[in-house]
Amino acid sequence: MVALDFNKLGGLVTAVAQDFRTGEVLMVAFMNREAWEATLATGRATYYSRSRKRLWVKGATSGHIQIVKEILIDCDDDAIVLKIEQIGGGACHTGHRSCFHKRCQNGSVQVVGQPIFDPKEVYKK
Amino acid sequence: MVALDFNKLGGLVTAVAQDFRTGEVLMVAFMNREAWEATLATGRATYYSRSRKRLWVKGATSGHIQIVKEILIDCDDDAIVLKIEQIGGGACHTGHRSCFHKRCQNGSVQVVGQPIFDPKEVYKK
């Protein structure tokens, strides 16, 4: 098993999910050791939900799983980049393609683009 | 001042620095409120160093500053993406262009690419 440094962030590492085709950053989340091992074992991005305090297989509810194409580890082993294929097109629970859909410019924030799915439909299951 | 949620990570938000031209993820770091406000005020990426417990103007020692071209905020305001111009070409203290220069594949880790500067030269000042 490839070792990461889970000590610097209280048992977690930071994980950046990036579209493997376009390079767009889709979301940032965290993994504990169990989530990291599950990601390696399954090839599906698996995070640790800090709010729910449990393993979070991305897409388990929505069907919008993330297929891991490549994993990059940073210099000090406390952060990773997952290059992923985002099933369903959108990573964000708001229906947007990316969680990073708000642009900060000249002291104000504007939403960029439109949702590509209806969260009410996707999460009603 | 644009408000972020610093509560979920003990006074910090996660910041992803991405090359504004290529989309390559160069590093992940953290900002406290002071670092965020300094980034907005100066247009230079400013982080909070957890190890040194103080503000960290990226490039203050090396000269390899990061000029902020665009700021994206995520859905729940606890993470940002900075699209930056990396002065000096490399963001990593190892001399590599990106901190994410190790590829995890089939249970092993391999360094990708070569350093583009000599850290001994850059950090001797």
PDB file of all heavy atoms in Angstrom, chain B residues 64-94:
ATOM      1  N   HIS B  64       9.852  33.143  -6.319  1.00  0.00           N
ATOM      2  CA  HIS B  64       8.868  32.455  -7.167  1.00  0.00           C
ATOM      3  C   HIS B  64       7.451  32.759  -6.691  1.00  0.00           C
ATOM      4  O   HIS B  64       6.744  31.881  -6.192  1.00  0.00           O
ATOM      5  CB  HIS B  64       9.132  30.956  -7.166  1.00  0.00           C
ATOM      6  CG  HIS B  64      10.447  30.576  -7.786  1.00  0.00           C
ATOM      7  ND1 HIS B  64      10.867  29.284  -7.940  1.00  0.00           N
ATOM      8  CD2 HIS B  64      11.437  31.343  -8.312  1.00  0.00           C
ATOM      9  CE1 HIS B  64      12.053  29.257  -8.518  1.00  0.00           C
ATOM     10  NE2 HIS B  64      12.420  30.498  -8.754  1.00  0.00           N
ATOM     11  N   ILE B  65       7.067  34.017  -6.854  1.00  0.00           N
ATOM     12  CA  ILE B  65       5.730  34.417  -6.410  1.00  0.00           C
ATOM     13  C   ILE B  65       4.669  33.882  -7.368  1.00  0.00           C
ATOM     14  O   ILE B  65       4.988  33.404  -8.463  1.00  0.00           O
ATOM     15  CB  ILE B  65       5.596  35.953  -6.290  1.00  0.00           C
ATOM     16  CG1 ILE B  65       5.774  36.624  -7.662  1.00  0.00           C
ATOM     17  CG2 ILE B  65       6.604  36.506  -5.289  1.00  0.00           C
ATOM     18  CD1 ILE B  65       5.379  38.090  -7.647  1.00  0.00           C
ATOM     19  N   GLN B  66       3.432  33.951  -6.905  1.00  0.00           N
ATOM     20  CA  GLN B  66       2.294  33.504  -7.722  1.00  0.00           C
ATOM     21  C   GLN B  66       1.362  34.691  -7.947  1.00  0.00           C
ATOM     22  O   GLN B  66       0.762  35.203  -6.997  1.00  0.00           O
ATOM     23  CB  GLN B  66       1.550  32.364  -7.019  1.00  0.00           C
ATOM     24  CG  GLN B  66       2.412  31.111  -6.845  1.00  0.00           C
ATOM     25  CD  GLN B  66       1.694  29.996  -6.108  1.00  0.00           C
ATOM     26  OE1 GLN B  66       0.773  30.241  -5.329  1.00  0.00           O
ATOM     27  NE2 GLN B  66       2.127  28.765  -6.335  1.00  0.00           N
ATOM     28  N   ILE B  67       1.239  35.100  -9.185  1.00  0.00           N
ATOM     29  CA  ILE B  67       0.361  36.216  -9.533  1.00  0.00           C
ATOM     30  C   ILE B  67      -1.034  35.665  -9.807  1.00  0.00           C
ATOM     31  O   ILE B  67      -1.215  34.814 -10.673  1.00  0.00           O
ATOM     32  CB  ILE B  67       0.904  36.962 -10.763  1.00  0.00           C
ATOM     33  CG1 ILE B  67       2.283  37.531 -10.425  1.00  0.00           C
ATOM     34  CG2 ILE B  67      -0.059  38.066 -11.191  1.00  0.00           C
ATOM     35  CD1 ILE B  67       3.024  38.091 -11.613  1.00  0.00           C
ATOM     36  N   VAL B  68      -1.992  36.163  -9.034  1.00  0.00           N
ATOM     37  CA  VAL B  68      -3.353  35.613  -9.100  1.00  0.00           C
ATOM     38  C   VAL B  68      -4.095  36.195 -10.299  1.00  0.00           C
ATOM     39  O   VAL B  68      -4.240  37.412 -10.418  1.00  0.00           O
ATOM     40  CB  VAL B  68      -4.117  35.920  -7.801  1.00  0.00           C
ATOM     41  CG1 VAL B  68      -5.558  35.396  -7.895  1.00  0.00           C
ATOM     42  CG2 VAL B  68      -3.401  35.312  -6.603  1.00  0.00           C
ATOM     43  N   LYS B  69      -4.549  35.309 -11.172  1.00  0.00           N
ATOM     44  CA  LYS B  69      -5.279  35.732 -12.363  1.00  0.00           C
ATOM     45  C   LYS B  69      -6.784  35.592 -12.181  1.00  0.00           C
ATOM     46  O   LYS B  69      -7.557  36.314 -12.784  1.00  0.00           O
ATOM     47  CB  LYS B  69      -4.840  34.873 -13.566  1.00  0.00           C
ATOM     48  CG  LYS B  69      -3.357  34.963 -13.890  1.00  0.00           C
ATOM     49  CD  LYS B  69      -3.007  36.310 -14.477  1.00  0.00           C
ATOM     50  CE  LYS B  69      -1.594  36.313 -15.036  1.00  0.00           C
ATOM     51  NZ  LYS B  69      -1.274  37.602 -15.683  1.00  0.00           N
ATOM     52  N   GLU B  70      -7.188  34.604 -11.401  1.00  0.00           N
ATOM     53  CA  GLU B  70      -8.618  34.344 -11.229  1.00  0.00           C
ATOM     54  C   GLU B  70      -8.805  33.586  -9.917  1.00  0.00           C
ATOM     55  O   GLU B  70      -7.938  32.781  -9.532  1.00  0.00           O
ATOM     56  CB  GLU B  70      -9.132  33.493 -12.405  1.00  0.00           C
ATOM     57  CG  GLU B  70     -10.639  33.313 -12.441  1.00  0.00           C
ATOM     58  CD  GLU B  70     -11.105  32.500 -13.657  1.00  0.00           C
ATOM     59  OE1 GLU B  70     -10.272  32.160 -14.526  1.00  0.00           O
ATOM     60  OE2 GLU B  70     -12.304  32.194 -13.714  1.00  0.00           O
ATOM     61  N   ILE B  71      -9.902  33.847  -9.241  1.00  0.00           N
ATOM     62  CA  ILE B  71     -10.218  33.131  -7.997  1.00  0.00           C
ATOM     63  C   ILE B  71     -11.596  32.507  -8.124  1.00  0.00           C
ATOM     64  O   ILE B  71     -12.571  33.195  -8.431  1.00  0.00           O
ATOM     65  CB  ILE B  71     -10.207  34.088  -6.779  1.00  0.00           C
ATOM     66  CG1 ILE B  71      -8.848  34.763  -6.628  1.00  0.00           C
ATOM     67  CG2 ILE B  71     -10.586  33.328  -5.500  1.00  0.00           C
ATOM     68  CD1 ILE B  71      -8.811  35.818  -5.514  1.00  0.00           C
ATOM     69  N   LEU B  72     -11.661  31.205  -7.890  1.00  0.00           N
ATOM     70  CA  LEU B  72     -12.938  30.497  -7.874  1.00  0.00           C
ATOM     71  C   LEU B  72     -13.194  29.973  -6.463  1.00  0.00           C
ATOM     72  O   LEU B  72     -12.270  29.503  -5.796  1.00  0.00           O
ATOM     73  CB  LEU B  72     -12.917  29.336  -8.872  1.00  0.00           C
ATOM     74  CG  LEU B  72     -12.723  29.753 -10.337  1.00  0.00           C
ATOM     75  CD1 LEU B  72     -12.447  28.533 -11.206  1.00  0.00           C
ATOM     76  CD2 LEU B  72     -13.940  30.510 -10.855  1.00  0.00           C
ATOM     77  N   ILE B  73     -14.434  30.071  -6.042  1.00  0.00           N
ATOM     78  CA  ILE B  73     -14.827  29.646  -4.688  1.00  0.00           C
ATOM     79  C   ILE B  73     -15.793  28.480  -4.828  1.00  0.00           C
ATOM     80  O   ILE B  73     -16.623  28.457  -5.735  1.00  0.00           O
ATOM     81  CB  ILE B  73     -15.504  30.816  -3.942  1.00  0.00           C
ATOM     82  CG1 ILE B  73     -14.545  32.014  -3.864  1.00  0.00           C
ATOM     83  CG2 ILE B  73     -15.966  30.399  -2.549  1.00  0.00           C
ATOM     84  CD1 ILE B  73     -15.167  33.270  -3.279  1.00  0.00           C
ATOM     85  N   ASP B  74     -15.706  27.530  -3.907  1.00  0.00           N
ATOM     86  CA  ASP B  74     -16.558  26.343  -4.065  1.00  0.00           C
ATOM     87  C   ASP B  74     -17.940  26.551  -3.441  1.00  0.00           C
ATOM     88  O   ASP B  74     -18.210  27.574  -2.791  1.00  0.00           O
ATOM     89  CB  ASP B  74     -15.849  25.079  -3.548  1.00  0.00           C
ATOM     90  CG  ASP B  74     -15.963  24.898  -2.060  1.00  0.00           C
ATOM     91  OD1 ASP B  74     -16.133  25.901  -1.335  1.00  0.00           O
ATOM     92  OD2 ASP B  74     -15.866  23.747  -1.593  1.00  0.00           O
ATOM     93  N   CYS B  75     -18.792  25.566  -3.652  1.00  0.00           N
ATOM     94  CA  CYS B  75     -20.206  25.666  -3.300  1.00  0.00           C
ATOM     95  C   CYS B  75     -20.440  26.014  -1.846  1.00  0.00           C
ATOM     96  O   CYS B  75     -21.372  26.742  -1.520  1.00  0.00           O
ATOM     97  CB  CYS B  75     -20.910  24.362  -3.662  1.00  0.00           C
ATOM     98  SG  CYS B  75     -20.036  22.878  -3.061  1.00  0.00           S
ATOM     99  N   ASP B  76     -19.620  25.498  -0.941  1.00  0.00           N
ATOM    100  CA  ASP B  76     -19.860  25.776   0.475  1.00  0.00           C
ATOM    101  C   ASP B  76     -18.793  26.683   1.094  1.00  0.00           C
ATOM    102  O   ASP B  76     -18.658  26.738   2.326  1.00  0.00           O
ATOM    103  CB  ASP B  76     -20.069  24.479   1.275  1.00  0.00           C
ATOM    104  CG  ASP B  76     -18.928  23.500   1.075  1.00  0.00           C
ATOM    105  OD1 ASP B  76     -17.989  23.828   0.327  1.00  0.00           O
ATOM    106  OD2 ASP B  76     -18.969  22.422   1.679  1.00  0.00           O
ATOM    107  N   ASP B  77     -18.071  27.385   0.248  1.00  0.00           N
ATOM    108  CA  ASP B  77     -17.211  28.499   0.688  1.00  0.00           C
ATOM    109  C   ASP B  77     -16.058  28.089   1.603  1.00  0.00           C
ATOM    110  O   ASP B  77     -15.559  28.915   2.372  1.00  0.00           O
ATOM    111  CB  ASP B  77     -18.048  29.580   1.408  1.00  0.00           C
ATOM    112  CG  ASP B  77     -19.125  30.160   0.514  1.00  0.00           C
ATOM    113  OD1 ASP B  77     -18.857  30.363  -0.681  1.00  0.00           O
ATOM    114  OD2 ASP B  77     -20.239  30.400   1.021  1.00  0.00           O
ATOM    115  N   ASP B  78     -15.637  26.821   1.528  1.00  0.00           N
ATOM    116  CA  ASP B  78     -14.515  26.417   2.379  1.00  0.00           C
ATOM    117  C   ASP B  78     -13.289  25.979   1.573  1.00  0.00           C
ATOM    118  O   ASP B  78     -12.342  25.427   2.148  1.00  0.00           O
ATOM    119  CB  ASP B  78     -14.938  25.332   3.377  1.00  0.00           C
ATOM    120  CG  ASP B  78     -15.321  24.044   2.686  1.00  0.00           C
ATOM    121  OD1 ASP B  78     -15.390  24.019   1.444  1.00  0.00           O
ATOM    122  OD2 ASP B  78     -15.565  23.055   3.399  1.00  0.00           O
ATOM    123  N   ALA B  79     -13.311  26.218   0.271  1.00  0.00           N
ATOM    124  CA  ALA B  79     -12.149  25.906  -0.563  1.00  0.00           C
ATOM    125  C   ALA B  79     -12.135  26.853  -1.748  1.00  0.00           C
ATOM    126  O   ALA B  79     -13.188  27.303  -2.212  1.00  0.00           O
ATOM    127  CB  ALA B  79     -12.217  24.452  -1.048  1.00  0.00           C
ATOM    128  N   ILE B  80     -10.932  27.169  -2.205  1.00  0.00           N
ATOM    129  CA  ILE B  80     -10.809  28.049  -3.366  1.00  0.00           C
ATOM    130  C   ILE B  80      -9.807  27.467  -4.359  1.00  0.00           C
ATOM    131  O   ILE B  80      -8.933  26.678  -4.001  1.00  0.00           O
ATOM    132  CB  ILE B  80     -10.377  29.479  -2.973  1.00  0.00           C
ATOM    133  CG1 ILE B  80      -8.984  29.482  -2.338  1.00  0.00           C
ATOM    134  CG2 ILE B  80     -11.382  30.125  -2.030  1.00  0.00           C
ATOM    135  CD1 ILE B  80      -8.421  30.878  -2.137  1.00  0.00           C
ATOM    136  N   VAL B  81      -9.985  27.871  -5.608  1.00  0.00           N
ATOM    137  CA  VAL B  81      -8.984  27.603  -6.643  1.00  0.00           C
ATOM    138  C   VAL B  81      -8.408  28.941  -7.073  1.00  0.00           C
ATOM    139  O   VAL B  81      -9.165  29.864  -7.399  1.00  0.00           O
ATOM    140  CB  VAL B  81      -9.610  26.883  -7.856  1.00  0.00           C
ATOM    141  CG1 VAL B  81      -8.652  26.899  -9.046  1.00  0.00           C
ATOM    142  CG2 VAL B  81      -9.983  25.449  -7.510  1.00  0.00           C
ATOM    143  N   LEU B  82      -7.092  29.038  -7.023  1.00  0.00           N
ATOM    144  CA  LEU B  82      -6.411  30.219  -7.553  1.00  0.00           C
ATOM    145  C   LEU B  82      -5.820  29.848  -8.899  1.00  0.00           C
ATOM    146  O   LEU B  82      -5.021  28.912  -8.977  1.00  0.00           O
ATOM    147  CB  LEU B  82      -5.256  30.644  -6.641  1.00  0.00           C
ATOM    148  CG  LEU B  82      -5.562  31.030  -5.206  1.00  0.00           C
ATOM    149  CD1 LEU B  82      -4.261  31.389  -4.496  1.00  0.00           C
ATOM    150  CD2 LEU B  82      -6.534  32.192  -5.145  1.00  0.00           C
ATOM    151  N   LYS B  83      -6.223  30.552  -9.940  1.00  0.00           N
ATOM    152  CA  LYS B  83      -5.538  30.376 -11.221  1.00  0.00           C
ATOM    153  C   LYS B  83      -4.418  31.404 -11.247  1.00  0.00           C
ATOM    154  O   LYS B  83      -4.671  32.608 -11.148  1.00  0.00           O
ATOM    155  CB  LYS B  83      -6.512  30.548 -12.375  1.00  0.00           C
ATOM    156  CG  LYS B  83      -7.606  29.485 -12.308  1.00  0.00           C
ATOM    157  CD  LYS B  83      -8.303  29.284 -13.623  1.00  0.00           C
ATOM    158  CE  LYS B  83      -9.328  28.162 -13.491  1.00  0.00           C
ATOM    159  NZ  LYS B  83     -10.027  27.892 -14.749  1.00  0.00           N
ATOM    160  N   ILE B  84      -3.207  30.896 -11.328  1.00  0.00           N
ATOM    161  CA  ILE B  84      -2.048  31.767 -11.096  1.00  0.00           C
ATOM    162  C   ILE B  84      -1.015  31.667 -12.213  1.00  0.00           C
ATOM    163  O   ILE B  84      -0.941  30.680 -12.934  1.00  0.00           O
ATOM    164  CB  ILE B  84      -1.365  31.401  -9.758  1.00  0.00           C
ATOM    165  CG1 ILE B  84      -0.961  29.908  -9.727  1.00  0.00           C
ATOM    166  CG2 ILE B  84      -2.238  31.733  -8.576  1.00  0.00           C
ATOM    167  CD1 ILE B  84       0.471  29.671  -9.609  1.00  0.00           C
ATOM    168  N   GLU B  85      -0.224  32.725 -12.270  1.00  0.00           N
ATOM    169  CA  GLU B  85       0.994  32.689 -13.071  1.00  0.00           C
ATOM    170  C   GLU B  85       2.146  32.429 -12.107  1.00  0.00           C
ATOM    171  O   GLU B  85       2.381  33.227 -11.180  1.00  0.00           O
ATOM    172  CB  GLU B  85       1.205  34.024 -13.792  1.00  0.00           C
ATOM    173  CG  GLU B  85       2.473  34.023 -14.634  1.00  0.00           C
ATOM    174  CD  GLU B  85       2.691  35.345 -15.351  1.00  0.00           C
ATOM    175  OE1 GLU B  85       1.836  36.252 -15.242  1.00  0.00           O
ATOM    176  OE2 GLU B  85       3.734  35.463 -16.020  1.00  0.00           O
ATOM    177  N   GLN B  86       2.826  31.319 -12.301  1.00  0.00           N
ATOM    178  CA  GLN B  86       3.916  30.938 -11.400  1.00  0.00           C
ATOM    179  C   GLN B  86       5.220  31.560 -11.889  1.00  0.00           C
ATOM    180  O   GLN B  86       5.784  31.120 -12.889  1.00  0.00           O
ATOM    181  CB  GLN B  86       4.035  29.416 -11.334  1.00  0.00           C
ATOM    182  CG  GLN B  86       5.180  28.919 -10.471  1.00  0.00           C
ATOM    183  CD  GLN B  86       5.003  29.319  -9.014  1.00  0.00           C
ATOM    184  OE1 GLN B  86       4.051  28.929  -8.374  1.00  0.00           O
ATOM    185  NE2 GLN B  86       5.933  30.129  -8.490  1.00  0.00           N
ATOM    186  N   ILE B  87       5.687  32.566 -11.201  1.00  0.00           N
ATOM    187  CA  ILE B  87       6.962  33.185 -11.563  1.00  0.00           C
ATOM    188  C   ILE B  87       8.099  32.205 -11.241  1.00  0.00           C
ATOM    189  O   ILE B  87       8.054  31.503 -10.219  1.00  0.00           O
ATOM    190  CB  ILE B  87       7.154  34.513 -10.788  1.00  0.00           C
ATOM    191  CG1 ILE B  87       6.004  35.468 -11.095  1.00  0.00           C
ATOM    192  CG2 ILE B  87       8.501  35.146 -11.123  1.00  0.00           C
ATOM    193  CD1 ILE B  87       5.827  35.832 -12.561  1.00  0.00           C
ATOM    194  N   GLY B  88       9.077  32.141 -12.101  1.00  0.00           N
ATOM    195  CA  GLY B  88      10.213  31.237 -11.886  1.00  0.00           C
ATOM    196  C   GLY B  88       9.945  29.828 -12.394  1.00  0.00           C
ATOM    197  O   GLY B  88      10.842  28.991 -12.393  1.00  0.00           O
ATOM    198  N   GLY B  89       8.707  29.575 -12.781  1.00  0.00           N
ATOM    199  CA  GLY B  89       8.382  28.309 -13.438  1.00  0.00           C
ATOM    200  C   GLY B  89       8.008  27.178 -12.509  1.00  0.00           C
ATOM    201  O   GLY B  89       7.235  26.312 -12.881  1.00  0.00           O
ATOM    202  N   GLY B  90       8.531  27.153 -11.298  1.00  0.00           N
ATOM    203  CA  GLY B  90       8.274  26.019 -10.415  1.00  0.00           C
ATOM    204  C   GLY B  90       7.636  26.443  -9.108  1.00  0.00           C
ATOM    205  O   GLY B  90       8.045  27.440  -8.504  1.00  0.00           O
ATOM    206  N   ALA B  91       6.643  25.676  -8.661  1.00  0.00           N
ATOM    207  CA  ALA B  91       5.964  25.991  -7.401  1.00  0.00           C
ATOM    208  C   ALA B  91       6.538  25.195  -6.236  1.00  0.00           C
ATOM    209  O   ALA B  91       6.341  25.552  -5.081  1.00  0.00           O
ATOM    210  CB  ALA B  91       4.473  25.696  -7.517  1.00  0.00           C
ATOM    211  N   CYS B  92       7.252  24.109  -6.527  1.00  0.00           N
ATOM    212  CA  CYS B  92       7.632  23.175  -5.460  1.00  0.00           C
ATOM    213  C   CYS B  92       9.028  23.477  -4.922  1.00  0.00           C
ATOM    214  O   CYS B  92       9.943  23.785  -5.692  1.00  0.00           O
ATOM    215  CB  CYS B  92       7.574  21.738  -5.983  1.00  0.00           C
ATOM    216  SG  CYS B  92       7.799  20.508  -4.687  1.00  0.00           S
ATOM    217  N   HIS B  93       9.175  23.330  -3.620  1.00  0.00           N
ATOM    218  CA  HIS B  93      10.474  23.604  -2.991  1.00  0.00           C
ATOM    219  C   HIS B  93      11.543  22.592  -3.424  1.00  0.00           C
ATOM    220  O   HIS B  93      12.724  22.811  -3.191  1.00  0.00           O
ATOM    221  CB  HIS B  93      10.337  23.604  -1.472  1.00  0.00           C
ATOM    222  CG  HIS B  93      10.157  22.237  -0.892  1.00  0.00           C
ATOM    223  ND1 HIS B  93       8.969  21.532  -0.989  1.00  0.00           N
ATOM    224  CD2 HIS B  93      11.004  21.431  -0.239  1.00  0.00           C
ATOM    225  CE1 HIS B  93       9.118  20.364  -0.407  1.00  0.00           C
ATOM    226  NE2 HIS B  93      10.331  20.268   0.061  1.00  0.00           N
ATOM    227  N   THR B  94      11.124  21.502  -4.072  1.00  0.00           N
ATOM    228  CA  THR B  94      12.080  20.501  -4.568  1.00  0.00           C
ATOM    229  C   THR B  94      12.692  20.907  -5.912  1.00  0.00           C
ATOM    230  O   THR B  94      13.592  20.226  -6.406  1.00  0.00           O
ATOM    231  CB  THR B  94      11.378  19.142  -4.782  1.00  0.00           C
ATOM    232  OG1 THR B  94      10.338  19.336  -5.753  1.00  0.00           O
ATOM    233  CG2 THR B  94      10.800  18.601  -3.494  1.00  0.00           C
TER     234      THR B  94
END
